[in-house]
Each structure stands twice: as C-alpha cells, then as structure tokens.
C-alpha cells in the first residue's frame, strides 16, 4: 500500500488572533483492498515434458511424439534437429508461471560431455500442456 501524505496543522496561531480549538475528528478508516488470488495453474509435469523432447532429439523415441507435446510448427522445426547422441538432465527443471496458463521452463543438460541450457515455453490448451518454444542454447 503506498504511503499516505497529509498536510500538517499550523504550528503557531497567527499573531494577535484568538484561536478556538476545534475538536479533532477521527478519520474514517479507508477500505483495504484485498487482492483476489488467482486459481492455481493446471498441473505441469515439466520433467516428463522436457524429457520427451530431449529423447526424441537424441533419436531414442519416435519423432511423432513431438506432435503430442509441441505446436505443429515447433514440432516440424525440432524434427529436423534429431541426431543420435546422449543427453541427460542434470537437475530438475525450473518452472516459472508468468500467467495461469503459461509456463517458462529452464533446465541444464549434459550432451556429449558438454553442459548446455534449455529454455522453453509451454502453454496450457485443450486440457494439455504444449511447447510453443524450445531452444537448446549451445
């Protein structure tokens, strides 16, 4: 709540004037605005969702699974990146919910003796989470 600034009463009466004290009025309490909490976000299994994409990119799962976890344009783009290699997550993904139906995911992975970062965005539509962006930062 922002601070309230009020004008102070005069410290001294004007010279030669007779001052009749006024009774102090009690200020009316201001209503307090209580924010309504947002409903909880739908359940998101970020480990499974990221794991499916990484396994497809490594060639350990069929590419058709990308259509189930990503938007059509992203699934096509990721399908071009499939190569035989070994990738594993080093830690569980970090998930941030900028809104109720959107999640931003960051995870650190190890691929062929290199440590890389993955940044992804998922959105909840049709009772499922779908990736709308997925980037391996090399």
């Amino acid at each position: 709540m922002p601070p309230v600034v009020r004008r102070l009463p005069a410290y001294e009466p004007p010279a030669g004037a007779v001052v009749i004290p006024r009774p102090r009025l009690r200020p009316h309490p201001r209503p307090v605005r209580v924010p309504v909490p947002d409903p909880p976000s739908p359940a998101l299994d970020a480990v499974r969702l990221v794991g499916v994409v990484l396994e497809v990119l490594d060639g350990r799962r069929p590419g058709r699974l990308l259509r189930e976890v990503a938007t059509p344009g992203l699934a096509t783009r990721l399908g071009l990146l499939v190569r035989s290699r070994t990738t594993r997550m080093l830690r569980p993904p970090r998930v941030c919910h900028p809104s109720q139906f959107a999640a931003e995911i960051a995870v650190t992975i190890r691929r062929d003796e290199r440590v890389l970062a993955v940044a992804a965005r998922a959105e909840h539509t049709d009772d499922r989470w779908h990736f709308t962006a997925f980037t391996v930062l090399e």
Side-chain angles (χ1 to χ4, degrees), residues 12-43:
E12 297 182 16
V18 177
V19 176
I20 302 172
R22 277 189 319 180
R24 294 189 88 186
L25 298 176
R26 198 177 302 168
H28 295 288
R30 293 189 174 173
V32 176
R33 182 180 170 269
V34 178
V36 177
D38 291 333
S41 299

PDB file of all heavy atoms in Angstrom, residues 12-43:
ATOM      1  N   GLU A  12       1.859  27.386  14.908  1.00  0.00           N
ATOM      2  CA  GLU A  12       1.581  28.538  15.764  1.00  0.00           C
ATOM      3  C   GLU A  12       0.379  29.296  15.220  1.00  0.00           C
ATOM      4  O   GLU A  12       0.188  29.399  14.013  1.00  0.00           O
ATOM      5  CB  GLU A  12       2.786  29.469  15.805  1.00  0.00           C
ATOM      6  CG  GLU A  12       3.999  28.802  16.423  1.00  0.00           C
ATOM      7  CD  GLU A  12       5.179  29.760  16.506  1.00  0.00           C
ATOM      8  OE1 GLU A  12       4.971  30.980  16.381  1.00  0.00           O
ATOM      9  OE2 GLU A  12       6.290  29.283  16.696  1.00  0.00           O
ATOM     10  N   PRO A  13      -0.408  29.872  16.129  1.00  0.00           N
ATOM     11  CA  PRO A  13      -1.537  30.672  15.654  1.00  0.00           C
ATOM     12  C   PRO A  13      -1.044  31.993  15.053  1.00  0.00           C
ATOM     13  O   PRO A  13       0.063  32.441  15.347  1.00  0.00           O
ATOM     14  CB  PRO A  13      -2.362  30.918  16.919  1.00  0.00           C
ATOM     15  CG  PRO A  13      -1.399  30.760  18.041  1.00  0.00           C
ATOM     16  CD  PRO A  13      -0.356  29.798  17.573  1.00  0.00           C
ATOM     17  N   PRO A  14      -1.851  32.612  14.194  1.00  0.00           N
ATOM     18  CA  PRO A  14      -1.457  33.913  13.652  1.00  0.00           C
ATOM     19  C   PRO A  14      -1.307  34.934  14.777  1.00  0.00           C
ATOM     20  O   PRO A  14      -1.953  34.836  15.820  1.00  0.00           O
ATOM     21  CB  PRO A  14      -2.582  34.285  12.703  1.00  0.00           C
ATOM     22  CG  PRO A  14      -3.558  33.174  12.727  1.00  0.00           C
ATOM     23  CD  PRO A  14      -3.101  32.141  13.671  1.00  0.00           C
ATOM     24  N   ALA A  15      -0.443  35.917  14.599  1.00  0.00           N
ATOM     25  CA  ALA A  15      -0.166  36.922  15.633  1.00  0.00           C
ATOM     26  C   ALA A  15      -1.427  37.724  15.954  1.00  0.00           C
ATOM     27  O   ALA A  15      -2.087  38.245  15.065  1.00  0.00           O
ATOM     28  CB  ALA A  15       0.940  37.853  15.184  1.00  0.00           C
ATOM     29  N   GLY A  16      -1.777  37.831  17.225  1.00  0.00           N
ATOM     30  CA  GLY A  16      -2.900  38.640  17.683  1.00  0.00           C
ATOM     31  C   GLY A  16      -4.257  38.006  17.495  1.00  0.00           C
ATOM     32  O   GLY A  16      -5.271  38.603  17.842  1.00  0.00           O
ATOM     33  N   ALA A  17      -4.358  36.843  16.967  1.00  0.00           N
ATOM     34  CA  ALA A  17      -5.660  36.227  16.731  1.00  0.00           C
ATOM     35  C   ALA A  17      -6.004  35.300  17.884  1.00  0.00           C
ATOM     36  O   ALA A  17      -5.135  34.712  18.521  1.00  0.00           O
ATOM     37  CB  ALA A  17      -5.639  35.440  15.439  1.00  0.00           C
ATOM     38  N   VAL A  18      -7.280  35.209  18.136  1.00  0.00           N
ATOM     39  CA  VAL A  18      -7.762  34.305  19.166  1.00  0.00           C
ATOM     40  C   VAL A  18      -8.113  32.994  18.468  1.00  0.00           C
ATOM     41  O   VAL A  18      -8.906  32.969  17.533  1.00  0.00           O
ATOM     42  CB  VAL A  18      -8.996  34.880  19.890  1.00  0.00           C
ATOM     43  CG1 VAL A  18      -9.519  33.885  20.910  1.00  0.00           C
ATOM     44  CG2 VAL A  18      -8.671  36.207  20.508  1.00  0.00           C
ATOM     45  N   VAL A  19      -7.529  31.941  18.945  1.00  0.00           N
ATOM     46  CA  VAL A  19      -7.744  30.651  18.312  1.00  0.00           C
ATOM     47  C   VAL A  19      -8.653  29.828  19.193  1.00  0.00           C
ATOM     48  O   VAL A  19      -8.409  29.647  20.379  1.00  0.00           O
ATOM     49  CB  VAL A  19      -6.413  29.908  18.115  1.00  0.00           C
ATOM     50  CG1 VAL A  19      -6.647  28.536  17.538  1.00  0.00           C
ATOM     51  CG2 VAL A  19      -5.487  30.716  17.241  1.00  0.00           C
ATOM     52  N   ILE A  20      -9.741  29.377  18.592  1.00  0.00           N
ATOM     53  CA  ILE A  20     -10.657  28.484  19.286  1.00  0.00           C
ATOM     54  C   ILE A  20     -10.325  27.068  18.810  1.00  0.00           C
ATOM     55  O   ILE A  20     -10.408  26.790  17.625  1.00  0.00           O
ATOM     56  CB  ILE A  20     -12.125  28.837  18.981  1.00  0.00           C
ATOM     57  CG1 ILE A  20     -12.390  30.269  19.389  1.00  0.00           C
ATOM     58  CG2 ILE A  20     -13.058  27.848  19.645  1.00  0.00           C
ATOM     59  CD1 ILE A  20     -13.735  30.782  18.960  1.00  0.00           C
ATOM     60  N   PRO A  21      -9.925  26.227  19.740  1.00  0.00           N
ATOM     61  CA  PRO A  21      -9.554  24.878  19.298  1.00  0.00           C
ATOM     62  C   PRO A  21     -10.752  24.122  18.739  1.00  0.00           C
ATOM     63  O   PRO A  21     -11.843  24.212  19.276  1.00  0.00           O
ATOM     64  CB  PRO A  21      -9.012  24.214  20.555  1.00  0.00           C
ATOM     65  CG  PRO A  21      -9.471  25.045  21.694  1.00  0.00           C
ATOM     66  CD  PRO A  21      -9.786  26.406  21.181  1.00  0.00           C
ATOM     67  N   ARG A  22     -10.518  23.451  17.645  1.00  0.00           N
ATOM     68  CA  ARG A  22     -11.545  22.625  17.028  1.00  0.00           C
ATOM     69  C   ARG A  22     -11.445  21.219  17.582  1.00  0.00           C
ATOM     70  O   ARG A  22     -10.340  20.743  17.860  1.00  0.00           O
ATOM     71  CB  ARG A  22     -11.320  22.509  15.516  1.00  0.00           C
ATOM     72  CG  ARG A  22     -11.841  23.644  14.745  1.00  0.00           C
ATOM     73  CD  ARG A  22     -11.789  23.363  13.266  1.00  0.00           C
ATOM     74  NE  ARG A  22     -10.562  22.678  12.854  1.00  0.00           N
ATOM     75  CZ  ARG A  22     -10.277  22.330  11.627  1.00  0.00           C
ATOM     76  NH1 ARG A  22     -11.119  22.599  10.675  1.00  0.00           N
ATOM     77  NH2 ARG A  22      -9.172  21.726  11.327  1.00  0.00           N
ATOM     78  N   PRO A  23     -12.587  20.589  17.747  1.00  0.00           N
ATOM     79  CA  PRO A  23     -12.489  19.192  18.178  1.00  0.00           C
ATOM     80  C   PRO A  23     -11.884  18.363  17.038  1.00  0.00           C
ATOM     81  O   PRO A  23     -12.169  18.599  15.867  1.00  0.00           O
ATOM     82  CB  PRO A  23     -13.935  18.793  18.456  1.00  0.00           C
ATOM     83  CG  PRO A  23     -14.765  19.759  17.691  1.00  0.00           C
ATOM     84  CD  PRO A  23     -13.960  21.027  17.598  1.00  0.00           C
ATOM     85  N   ARG A  24     -11.041  17.441  17.396  1.00  0.00           N
ATOM     86  CA  ARG A  24     -10.405  16.598  16.387  1.00  0.00           C
ATOM     87  C   ARG A  24     -11.391  15.535  15.929  1.00  0.00           C
ATOM     88  O   ARG A  24     -12.009  14.850  16.733  1.00  0.00           O
ATOM     89  CB  ARG A  24      -9.179  15.917  16.963  1.00  0.00           C
ATOM     90  CG  ARG A  24      -8.100  16.933  17.298  1.00  0.00           C
ATOM     91  CD  ARG A  24      -6.855  16.240  17.649  1.00  0.00           C
ATOM     92  NE  ARG A  24      -6.128  16.039  16.390  1.00  0.00           N
ATOM     93  CZ  ARG A  24      -5.024  15.357  16.286  1.00  0.00           C
ATOM     94  NH1 ARG A  24      -4.523  14.773  17.344  1.00  0.00           N
ATOM     95  NH2 ARG A  24      -4.416  15.237  15.147  1.00  0.00           N
ATOM     96  N   LEU A  25     -11.518  15.474  14.658  1.00  0.00           N
ATOM     97  CA  LEU A  25     -12.387  14.452  14.080  1.00  0.00           C
ATOM     98  C   LEU A  25     -11.564  13.198  13.814  1.00  0.00           C
ATOM     99  O   LEU A  25     -10.436  13.273  13.362  1.00  0.00           O
ATOM    100  CB  LEU A  25     -13.002  14.952  12.780  1.00  0.00           C
ATOM    101  CG  LEU A  25     -13.897  16.197  12.908  1.00  0.00           C
ATOM    102  CD1 LEU A  25     -14.353  16.623  11.534  1.00  0.00           C
ATOM    103  CD2 LEU A  25     -15.079  15.908  13.800  1.00  0.00           C
ATOM    104  N   ARG A  26     -12.139  12.086  14.119  1.00  0.00           N
ATOM    105  CA  ARG A  26     -11.467  10.829  13.865  1.00  0.00           C
ATOM    106  C   ARG A  26     -11.572  10.524  12.363  1.00  0.00           C
ATOM    107  O   ARG A  26     -12.661  10.561  11.793  1.00  0.00           O
ATOM    108  CB  ARG A  26     -12.145   9.731  14.673  1.00  0.00           C
ATOM    109  CG  ARG A  26     -11.267   8.516  14.818  1.00  0.00           C
ATOM    110  CD  ARG A  26     -11.866   7.450  15.676  1.00  0.00           C
ATOM    111  NE  ARG A  26     -12.167   7.972  17.010  1.00  0.00           N
ATOM    112  CZ  ARG A  26     -12.890   7.332  17.892  1.00  0.00           C
ATOM    113  NH1 ARG A  26     -13.412   6.180  17.585  1.00  0.00           N
ATOM    114  NH2 ARG A  26     -13.116   7.845  19.073  1.00  0.00           N
ATOM    115  N   PRO A  27     -10.460  10.252  11.719  1.00  0.00           N
ATOM    116  CA  PRO A  27     -10.542   9.961  10.281  1.00  0.00           C
ATOM    117  C   PRO A  27     -11.285   8.646  10.048  1.00  0.00           C
ATOM    118  O   PRO A  27     -11.206   7.716  10.843  1.00  0.00           O
ATOM    119  CB  PRO A  27      -9.091   9.847   9.838  1.00  0.00           C
ATOM    120  CG  PRO A  27      -8.344   9.529  11.086  1.00  0.00           C
ATOM    121  CD  PRO A  27      -9.103  10.164  12.219  1.00  0.00           C
ATOM    122  N   HIS A  28     -12.028   8.633   8.961  1.00  0.00           N
ATOM    123  CA  HIS A  28     -12.749   7.413   8.602  1.00  0.00           C
ATOM    124  C   HIS A  28     -11.748   6.376   8.112  1.00  0.00           C
ATOM    125  O   HIS A  28     -10.854   6.705   7.336  1.00  0.00           O
ATOM    126  CB  HIS A  28     -13.781   7.699   7.506  1.00  0.00           C
ATOM    127  CG  HIS A  28     -14.881   8.612   7.956  1.00  0.00           C
ATOM    128  ND1 HIS A  28     -15.852   8.212   8.829  1.00  0.00           N
ATOM    129  CD2 HIS A  28     -15.145   9.905   7.660  1.00  0.00           C
ATOM    130  CE1 HIS A  28     -16.679   9.217   9.043  1.00  0.00           C
ATOM    131  NE2 HIS A  28     -16.268  10.257   8.348  1.00  0.00           N
ATOM    132  N   PRO A  29     -11.908   5.169   8.541  1.00  0.00           N
ATOM    133  CA  PRO A  29     -10.981   4.152   8.030  1.00  0.00           C
ATOM    134  C   PRO A  29     -11.219   3.937   6.538  1.00  0.00           C
ATOM    135  O   PRO A  29     -12.345   3.899   6.070  1.00  0.00           O
ATOM    136  CB  PRO A  29     -11.314   2.900   8.832  1.00  0.00           C
ATOM    137  CG  PRO A  29     -12.698   3.124   9.343  1.00  0.00           C
ATOM    138  CD  PRO A  29     -12.875   4.607   9.465  1.00  0.00           C
ATOM    139  N   ARG A  30     -10.132   3.831   5.830  1.00  0.00           N
ATOM    140  CA  ARG A  30     -10.234   3.598   4.390  1.00  0.00           C
ATOM    141  C   ARG A  30     -10.381   2.102   4.148  1.00  0.00           C
ATOM    142  O   ARG A  30      -9.775   1.293   4.849  1.00  0.00           O
ATOM    143  CB  ARG A  30      -9.007   4.124   3.681  1.00  0.00           C
ATOM    144  CG  ARG A  30      -8.933   5.615   3.755  1.00  0.00           C
ATOM    145  CD  ARG A  30      -7.854   6.115   2.878  1.00  0.00           C
ATOM    146  NE  ARG A  30      -7.929   7.577   2.883  1.00  0.00           N
ATOM    147  CZ  ARG A  30      -7.047   8.334   2.322  1.00  0.00           C
ATOM    148  NH1 ARG A  30      -6.020   7.811   1.724  1.00  0.00           N
ATOM    149  NH2 ARG A  30      -7.195   9.639   2.356  1.00  0.00           N
ATOM    150  N   PRO A  31     -11.171   1.750   3.152  1.00  0.00           N
ATOM    151  CA  PRO A  31     -11.313   0.319   2.876  1.00  0.00           C
ATOM    152  C   PRO A  31      -9.980  -0.255   2.395  1.00  0.00           C
ATOM    153  O   PRO A  31      -9.236   0.385   1.665  1.00  0.00           O
ATOM    154  CB  PRO A  31     -12.370   0.254   1.782  1.00  0.00           C
ATOM    155  CG  PRO A  31     -12.410   1.616   1.187  1.00  0.00           C
ATOM    156  CD  PRO A  31     -11.956   2.572   2.243  1.00  0.00           C
ATOM    157  N   VAL A  32      -9.715  -1.431   2.822  1.00  0.00           N
ATOM    158  CA  VAL A  32      -8.488  -2.120   2.434  1.00  0.00           C
ATOM    159  C   VAL A  32      -8.819  -3.033   1.259  1.00  0.00           C
ATOM    160  O   VAL A  32      -9.746  -3.826   1.324  1.00  0.00           O
ATOM    161  CB  VAL A  32      -7.941  -2.953   3.608  1.00  0.00           C
ATOM    162  CG1 VAL A  32      -6.719  -3.743   3.186  1.00  0.00           C
ATOM    163  CG2 VAL A  32      -7.636  -2.052   4.783  1.00  0.00           C
ATOM    164  N   ARG A  33      -8.059  -2.873   0.191  1.00  0.00           N
ATOM    165  CA  ARG A  33      -8.273  -3.697  -0.998  1.00  0.00           C
ATOM    166  C   ARG A  33      -7.492  -4.993  -0.835  1.00  0.00           C
ATOM    167  O   ARG A  33      -6.275  -4.986  -0.728  1.00  0.00           O
ATOM    168  CB  ARG A  33      -7.796  -2.963  -2.238  1.00  0.00           C
ATOM    169  CG  ARG A  33      -8.040  -3.735  -3.500  1.00  0.00           C
ATOM    170  CD  ARG A  33      -7.548  -2.952  -4.709  1.00  0.00           C
ATOM    171  NE  ARG A  33      -7.572  -3.785  -5.867  1.00  0.00           N
ATOM    172  CZ  ARG A  33      -6.554  -4.534  -6.278  1.00  0.00           C
ATOM    173  NH1 ARG A  33      -5.437  -4.531  -5.627  1.00  0.00           N
ATOM    174  NH2 ARG A  33      -6.673  -5.269  -7.363  1.00  0.00           N
ATOM    175  N   VAL A  34      -8.205  -6.072  -0.804  1.00  0.00           N
ATOM    176  CA  VAL A  34      -7.582  -7.387  -0.686  1.00  0.00           C
ATOM    177  C   VAL A  34      -7.615  -8.033  -2.065  1.00  0.00           C
ATOM    178  O   VAL A  34      -8.688  -8.230  -2.638  1.00  0.00           O
ATOM    179  CB  VAL A  34      -8.344  -8.265   0.333  1.00  0.00           C
ATOM    180  CG1 VAL A  34      -7.731  -9.644   0.412  1.00  0.00           C
ATOM    181  CG2 VAL A  34      -8.385  -7.591   1.686  1.00  0.00           C
ATOM    182  N   PRO A  35      -6.436  -8.327  -2.630  1.00  0.00           N
ATOM    183  CA  PRO A  35      -6.440  -8.933  -3.962  1.00  0.00           C
ATOM    184  C   PRO A  35      -7.029 -10.337  -3.932  1.00  0.00           C
ATOM    185  O   PRO A  35      -6.837 -11.087  -2.982  1.00  0.00           O
ATOM    186  CB  PRO A  35      -4.964  -8.973  -4.356  1.00  0.00           C
ATOM    187  CG  PRO A  35      -4.233  -8.895  -3.068  1.00  0.00           C
ATOM    188  CD  PRO A  35      -5.103  -8.149  -2.096  1.00  0.00           C
ATOM    189  N   VAL A  36      -7.743 -10.652  -4.986  1.00  0.00           N
ATOM    190  CA  VAL A  36      -8.326 -11.992  -5.116  1.00  0.00           C
ATOM    191  C   VAL A  36      -7.245 -12.895  -5.686  1.00  0.00           C
ATOM    192  O   VAL A  36      -6.672 -12.605  -6.735  1.00  0.00           O
ATOM    193  CB  VAL A  36      -9.548 -11.965  -6.055  1.00  0.00           C
ATOM    194  CG1 VAL A  36     -10.115 -13.351  -6.251  1.00  0.00           C
ATOM    195  CG2 VAL A  36     -10.594 -11.012  -5.518  1.00  0.00           C
ATOM    196  N   PRO A  37      -6.912 -13.987  -5.001  1.00  0.00           N
ATOM    197  CA  PRO A  37      -5.856 -14.850  -5.524  1.00  0.00           C
ATOM    198  C   PRO A  37      -6.292 -15.540  -6.812  1.00  0.00           C
ATOM    199  O   PRO A  37      -7.462 -15.882  -6.990  1.00  0.00           O
ATOM    200  CB  PRO A  37      -5.628 -15.866  -4.399  1.00  0.00           C
ATOM    201  CG  PRO A  37      -6.890 -15.851  -3.615  1.00  0.00           C
ATOM    202  CD  PRO A  37      -7.482 -14.472  -3.762  1.00  0.00           C
ATOM    203  N   ASP A  38      -5.328 -15.715  -7.712  1.00  0.00           N
ATOM    204  CA  ASP A  38      -5.603 -16.435  -8.951  1.00  0.00           C
ATOM    205  C   ASP A  38      -5.798 -17.914  -8.638  1.00  0.00           C
ATOM    206  O   ASP A  38      -5.191 -18.449  -7.714  1.00  0.00           O
ATOM    207  CB  ASP A  38      -4.434 -16.296  -9.923  1.00  0.00           C
ATOM    208  CG  ASP A  38      -4.293 -14.885 -10.450  1.00  0.00           C
ATOM    209  OD1 ASP A  38      -5.319 -14.182 -10.491  1.00  0.00           O
ATOM    210  OD2 ASP A  38      -3.171 -14.491 -10.797  1.00  0.00           O
ATOM    211  N   PRO A  39      -6.651 -18.575  -9.408  1.00  0.00           N
ATOM    212  CA  PRO A  39      -6.770 -20.017  -9.194  1.00  0.00           C
ATOM    213  C   PRO A  39      -5.444 -20.689  -9.544  1.00  0.00           C
ATOM    214  O   PRO A  39      -4.659 -20.155 -10.323  1.00  0.00           O
ATOM    215  CB  PRO A  39      -7.883 -20.435 -10.155  1.00  0.00           C
ATOM    216  CG  PRO A  39      -8.034 -19.321 -11.114  1.00  0.00           C
ATOM    217  CD  PRO A  39      -7.515 -18.081 -10.455  1.00  0.00           C
ATOM    218  N   PRO A  40      -5.168 -21.838  -8.980  1.00  0.00           N
ATOM    219  CA  PRO A  40      -3.879 -22.492  -9.260  1.00  0.00           C
ATOM    220  C   PRO A  40      -3.766 -22.900 -10.725  1.00  0.00           C
ATOM    221  O   PRO A  40      -4.757 -23.146 -11.395  1.00  0.00           O
ATOM    222  CB  PRO A  40      -3.903 -23.715  -8.346  1.00  0.00           C
ATOM    223  CG  PRO A  40      -5.338 -23.951  -8.046  1.00  0.00           C
ATOM    224  CD  PRO A  40      -6.010 -22.610  -8.098  1.00  0.00           C
ATOM    225  N   SER A  41      -2.530 -22.933 -11.190  1.00  0.00           N
ATOM    226  CA  SER A  41      -2.268 -23.357 -12.563  1.00  0.00           C
ATOM    227  C   SER A  41      -2.553 -24.846 -12.706  1.00  0.00           C
ATOM    228  O   SER A  41      -2.403 -25.600 -11.751  1.00  0.00           O
ATOM    229  CB  SER A  41      -0.818 -23.086 -12.932  1.00  0.00           C
ATOM    230  OG  SER A  41      -0.545 -21.722 -12.857  1.00  0.00           O
ATOM    231  N   PRO A  42      -2.930 -25.284 -13.905  1.00  0.00           N
ATOM    232  CA  PRO A  42      -3.102 -26.726 -14.114  1.00  0.00           C
ATOM    233  C   PRO A  42      -1.776 -27.448 -13.877  1.00  0.00           C
ATOM    234  O   PRO A  42      -0.708 -26.871 -14.072  1.00  0.00           O
ATOM    235  CB  PRO A  42      -3.532 -26.826 -15.580  1.00  0.00           C
ATOM    236  CG  PRO A  42      -4.031 -25.473 -15.942  1.00  0.00           C
ATOM    237  CD  PRO A  42      -3.295 -24.506 -15.074  1.00  0.00           C
ATOM    238  N   ALA A  43      -1.844 -28.680 -13.457  1.00  0.00           N
ATOM    239  CA  ALA A  43      -0.638 -29.445 -13.136  1.00  0.00           C
ATOM    240  C   ALA A  43       0.264 -29.573 -14.362  1.00  0.00           C
ATOM    241  O   ALA A  43      -0.198 -29.873 -15.455  1.00  0.00           O
ATOM    242  CB  ALA A  43      -1.027 -30.826 -12.627  1.00  0.00           C
TER     243      ALA A  43
END
